[in-house]
Amino acid sequence: MLKYQTIVMDIRHKIADGDYSQGDRLPTIPELCKLYDVSKITVKRAMDELESIGLIARRRGSGTYVKGIAGTSTLTSARNALTQGEAILPDSEMLGSNVTRTVHEFMVVQPPSDIAQILDIAPDAFTYYICRTRFADGVPDRVEHTYVPLSISPSLRKSDMEGSLYRYIVDQLGLKVASAHRAIAAVHPTVDEARWLGVELQTPLVSVRQVGYLDDGTAFEVSTCVHAPGYEFFTVSTK
């Protein structure tokens, strides 16, 4: 694990464990350099990563603070990761609904630059791109756009994505999911999303971007889920 990733993981764990609470001011960059015995560049990269996943906020002339996480979920174990949310495990699956997925696109692509940065891969590296609609008891409830680095599973197949990505990561690859971070936004659906969800183009919907991390700090997915009307977003923080 790179030095900046070690800092990111440590601060994420401290936030999840309550050592740093919402609104707490984090140590200064010089203090973090001394604490972790690293350079300012390494600390700044770690802060950039924490800010990009929505855990901290920088205030000019004031410092860096733990962000209010009304739109972010921090899940700190593989077991919890398999019992919360969609790309983790859909709420309806938790409630015993019959969940199916239709995969619209499955391809290898060069991801957008912001996705590559979050996944910490080279700008010219490749990922899987998966677009699919999830159904609960036959009713479409969300459209997912997911990027997964090729390095996670070079042999990933389209049929694997007809099930839960997180179950595949844990059960098939034997990897441990450490956390998932989410940011929420209000959107209008694209033409395809409206058709797949059976809604009008101007229908206001909830979009949730989720970044999933393994226990070694590797980001293994960036997913954007556009939810059908009636979706309720829950903030979760568990140990």
Side-chain angles (χ1 to χ4, degrees), residues 104 131-133 135 139-145 187-206 225-229:
H104 306 295
C131 175
R132 55 187 185 168
T133 297
F135 298 80
V139 178
D141 68 355
R142 68 197 64 182
V143 175
E144 305 166 359
H145 304 273
V187 299
H188 288 137
T190 65
V191 172
D192 284 337
E193 289 167 349
R195 175 165 54 86
W196 293 329
L197 292 174
V199 299
E200 299 294 330
L201 275 174
Q202 295 305 310
T203 303
L205 301 177
V206 172
C225 299
V226 178
H227 296 263

Coordinates of all heavy atoms in Angstrom, one line a residue, residues 104 131-133 135 139-145 187-206 225-229:
H104 N -27.2 -4.1 -19.8 CA -27.3 -3.5 -21.1 C -26.0 -3.4 -21.8 O -25.9 -3.5 -23.0 CB -27.9 -2.1 -20.9 CG -29.2 -2.1 -20.1 ND1 -30.3 -2.6 -20.6 CD2 -29.5 -1.5 -18.9 CE1 -31.3 -2.4 -19.7 NE2 -30.8 -1.8 -18.7
C131 N -23.3 -1.4 -17.5 CA -24.5 -0.6 -17.3 C -25.6 -1.7 -17.2 O -25.7 -2.6 -18.1 CB -24.8 0.3 -18.5 SG -26.4 1.1 -18.5
R132 N -26.4 -1.6 -16.2 CA -27.5 -2.6 -15.9 C -28.6 -2.0 -15.2 O -28.5 -1.0 -14.5 CB -26.9 -3.8 -15.2 CG -26.2 -3.4 -13.9 CD -25.6 -4.6 -13.2 NE -25.0 -4.3 -11.9 CZ -24.6 -5.2 -11.0 NH1 -24.6 -6.5 -11.3 NH2 -24.1 -4.8 -9.9
T133 N -29.8 -2.6 -15.3 CA -31.0 -2.2 -14.6 C -31.3 -3.3 -13.6 O -31.2 -4.5 -13.9 CB -32.2 -2.0 -15.5 OG1 -31.9 -1.0 -16.4 CG2 -33.5 -1.7 -14.7
F135 N -34.0 -5.0 -11.0 CA -35.4 -5.2 -10.8 C -35.7 -5.9 -9.4 O -35.0 -6.8 -9.0 CB -36.0 -6.1 -11.9 CG -35.9 -5.6 -13.3 CD1 -34.8 -5.7 -14.0 CD2 -37.0 -5.0 -13.9 CE1 -34.6 -5.2 -15.3 CE2 -36.9 -4.5 -15.2 CZ -35.8 -4.6 -15.9
V139 N -40.0 -5.2 -10.9 CA -40.2 -3.8 -11.1 C -38.8 -3.1 -11.2 O -38.0 -3.3 -10.2 CB -41.0 -3.2 -10.0 CG1 -41.2 -1.7 -10.2 CG2 -42.4 -3.8 -9.9
P140 N -38.5 -2.4 -12.2 CA -37.2 -1.7 -12.3 C -37.1 -0.7 -11.2 O -37.9 0.2 -11.0 CB -37.2 -1.1 -13.7 CG -38.6 -0.9 -14.0 CD -39.3 -2.0 -13.4
D141 N -36.0 -0.7 -10.4 CA -35.8 0.2 -9.3 C -34.6 1.1 -9.4 O -34.4 2.1 -8.7 CB -36.0 -0.4 -7.9 CG -34.8 -1.3 -7.6 OD1 -33.9 -1.6 -8.4 OD2 -34.8 -1.8 -6.5
R142 N -33.6 0.7 -10.3 CA -32.5 1.6 -10.5 C -31.7 1.1 -11.7 O -31.7 0.0 -12.1 CB -31.6 1.6 -9.2 CG -30.9 0.3 -9.0 CD -30.3 0.2 -7.5 NE -31.4 0.2 -6.6 CZ -31.3 0.2 -5.3 NH1 -30.1 0.2 -4.7 NH2 -32.3 0.3 -4.5
V143 N -30.9 2.1 -12.2 CA -30.0 1.9 -13.3 C -28.6 2.1 -12.8 O -28.4 3.2 -12.1 CB -30.3 2.8 -14.5 CG1 -29.2 2.6 -15.6 CG2 -31.7 2.5 -15.1
E144 N -27.7 1.2 -13.0 CA -26.3 1.3 -12.4 C -25.3 1.5 -13.6 O -25.4 0.8 -14.6 CB -26.0 0.1 -11.7 CG -27.0 -0.3 -10.6 CD -26.7 -1.7 -10.1 OE1 -25.8 -2.4 -10.6 OE2 -27.5 -2.2 -9.2
H145 N -24.4 2.4 -13.4 CA -23.3 2.6 -14.3 C -22.0 2.3 -13.4 O -21.7 3.1 -12.5 CB -23.2 4.0 -14.8 CG -24.5 4.4 -15.5 ND1 -24.7 4.1 -16.9 CD2 -25.6 5.0 -15.1 CE1 -25.9 4.6 -17.2 NE2 -26.5 5.1 -16.2
V187 N -31.1 14.3 -10.0 CA -30.9 14.4 -11.4 C -32.2 14.1 -12.2 O -33.2 13.7 -11.6 CB -29.9 13.3 -11.8 CG1 -28.5 13.4 -11.2 CG2 -30.4 11.9 -11.5
H188 N -32.1 14.4 -13.5 CA -33.1 13.9 -14.4 C -32.5 12.8 -15.2 O -31.3 12.8 -15.5 CB -33.5 15.1 -15.4 CG -34.3 16.1 -14.8 ND1 -34.1 17.5 -15.0 CD2 -35.4 16.1 -13.9 CE1 -35.0 18.2 -14.3 NE2 -35.7 17.4 -13.6
P189 N -33.3 11.8 -15.5 CA -32.8 10.6 -16.2 C -32.4 10.9 -17.6 O -32.9 11.8 -18.3 CB -33.9 9.6 -16.2 CG -35.2 10.5 -16.1 CD -34.8 11.7 -15.3
T190 N -31.5 10.1 -18.2 CA -31.2 10.2 -19.6 C -32.3 9.5 -20.3 O -33.2 8.9 -19.7 CB -29.9 9.5 -19.9 OG1 -30.0 8.1 -19.6 CG2 -28.7 10.0 -19.1
V191 N -32.3 9.6 -21.6 CA -33.4 8.9 -22.4 C -33.4 7.4 -22.1 O -34.5 6.9 -21.9 CB -33.1 9.2 -23.9 CG1 -34.1 8.4 -24.8 CG2 -33.3 10.7 -24.3
D192 N -32.2 6.8 -22.1 CA -32.2 5.4 -21.9 C -32.7 5.0 -20.4 O -33.4 4.1 -20.2 CB -30.8 4.8 -22.1 CG -30.5 4.6 -23.6 OD1 -31.4 4.5 -24.4 OD2 -29.3 4.6 -23.9
E193 N -32.2 5.8 -19.5 CA -32.6 5.6 -18.1 C -34.1 5.7 -17.9 O -34.7 4.9 -17.2 CB -31.8 6.5 -17.2 CG -30.3 6.2 -17.0 CD -29.5 7.3 -16.4 OE1 -30.1 8.5 -16.2 OE2 -28.3 7.1 -16.1
A194 N -34.7 6.8 -18.5 CA -36.1 7.0 -18.4 C -36.9 5.8 -19.0 O -37.9 5.3 -18.4 CB -36.5 8.2 -19.1
R195 N -36.4 5.2 -20.1 CA -37.0 4.1 -20.7 C -36.9 2.9 -19.9 O -37.9 2.1 -19.7 CB -36.4 3.9 -22.1 CG -36.9 2.6 -22.9 CD -36.5 2.7 -24.3 NE -35.1 2.9 -24.5 CZ -34.2 1.9 -24.5 NH1 -34.6 0.6 -24.4 NH2 -32.9 2.2 -24.7
W196 N -35.7 2.6 -19.3 CA -35.5 1.4 -18.5 C -36.3 1.5 -17.2 O -36.7 0.5 -16.7 CB -34.0 1.3 -18.2 CG -33.2 0.9 -19.5 CD1 -33.6 0.2 -20.6 CD2 -31.8 1.3 -19.7 NE1 -32.6 0.1 -21.5 CE2 -31.5 0.8 -21.0 CE3 -30.9 2.0 -19.0 CZ2 -30.2 0.9 -21.6 CZ3 -29.6 2.2 -19.6 CH2 -29.3 1.7 -20.8
L197 N -36.4 2.7 -16.6 CA -37.1 2.8 -15.4 C -38.6 3.1 -15.6 O -39.4 3.0 -14.6 CB -36.5 4.0 -14.5 CG -35.1 3.7 -14.0 CD1 -34.5 5.0 -13.3 CD2 -35.0 2.5 -13.0
G198 N -39.0 3.3 -16.8 CA -40.4 3.6 -17.1 C -40.9 4.9 -16.5 O -42.0 5.0 -16.0
V199 N -40.1 6.0 -16.6 CA -40.5 7.3 -16.1 C -40.3 8.3 -17.2 O -39.7 8.1 -18.3 CB -39.6 7.7 -14.9 CG1 -39.8 6.7 -13.8 CG2 -38.1 7.8 -15.3
E200 N -40.9 9.5 -17.0 CA -40.8 10.6 -17.9 C -39.4 11.2 -17.8 O -38.7 11.2 -16.8 CB -41.8 11.7 -17.6 CG -43.3 11.2 -17.7 CD -43.6 10.8 -19.2 OE1 -43.0 11.4 -20.1 OE2 -44.5 9.9 -19.3
L201 N -38.9 11.9 -18.9 CA -37.6 12.4 -19.0 C -37.3 13.5 -17.9 O -36.2 13.6 -17.4 CB -37.3 13.1 -20.3 CG -36.8 12.1 -21.4 CD1 -36.8 12.8 -22.8 CD2 -35.5 11.6 -21.1
Q202 N -38.3 14.3 -17.5 CA -38.2 15.3 -16.6 C -38.4 14.9 -15.1 O -38.5 15.8 -14.2 CB -39.0 16.5 -16.9 CG -38.7 17.2 -18.3 CD -37.2 17.6 -18.3 OE1 -36.7 18.3 -17.4 NE2 -36.5 17.2 -19.3
T203 N -38.6 13.6 -14.9 CA -38.8 13.1 -13.6 C -37.6 13.4 -12.7 O -36.5 12.9 -13.0 CB -39.2 11.6 -13.6 OG1 -40.3 11.4 -14.4 CG2 -39.5 11.1 -12.2
P204 N -37.8 14.0 -11.5 CA -36.6 14.2 -10.6 C -36.3 12.8 -9.9 O -37.2 12.2 -9.4 CB -37.1 15.2 -9.6 CG -38.6 15.1 -9.6 CD -39.0 14.7 -11.0
L205 N -35.1 12.4 -10.0 CA -34.6 11.2 -9.4 C -33.4 11.4 -8.5 O -32.8 12.4 -8.6 CB -34.3 10.2 -10.5 CG -35.4 9.8 -11.5 CD1 -34.8 8.9 -12.6 CD2 -36.6 9.2 -10.8
V206 N -33.2 10.4 -7.7 CA -32.0 10.4 -6.8 C -30.9 9.6 -7.5 O -31.1 8.4 -7.9 CB -32.3 9.8 -5.4 CG1 -31.0 9.6 -4.6 CG2 -33.3 10.7 -4.7
C225 N -25.7 5.1 -9.3 CA -27.0 4.4 -9.4 C -28.1 5.5 -9.5 O -28.2 6.3 -8.6 CB -27.2 3.5 -8.2 SG -26.0 2.2 -8.0
V226 N -28.9 5.4 -10.5 CA -30.0 6.3 -10.7 C -31.2 5.6 -10.3 O -31.6 4.6 -10.9 CB -30.1 6.8 -12.1 CG1 -31.3 7.7 -12.3 CG2 -28.8 7.6 -12.6
H227 N -31.9 6.0 -9.2 CA -33.0 5.3 -8.6 C -34.3 5.7 -9.1 O -34.6 6.9 -9.3 CB -32.9 5.5 -7.0 CG -31.7 4.9 -6.4 ND1 -31.6 3.7 -5.8 CD2 -30.4 5.4 -6.3 CE1 -30.4 3.4 -5.4 NE2 -29.7 4.5 -5.7
A228 N -35.2 4.8 -9.1 CA -36.6 5.1 -9.5 C -37.3 5.9 -8.4 O -36.8 5.9 -7.3 CB -37.4 3.8 -9.7
P229 N -38.4 6.6 -8.7 CA -39.1 7.4 -7.7 C -39.5 6.5 -6.5 O -39.8 5.3 -6.6 CB -40.4 7.8 -8.4 CG -40.0 7.9 -9.9 CD -39.0 6.7 -10.0

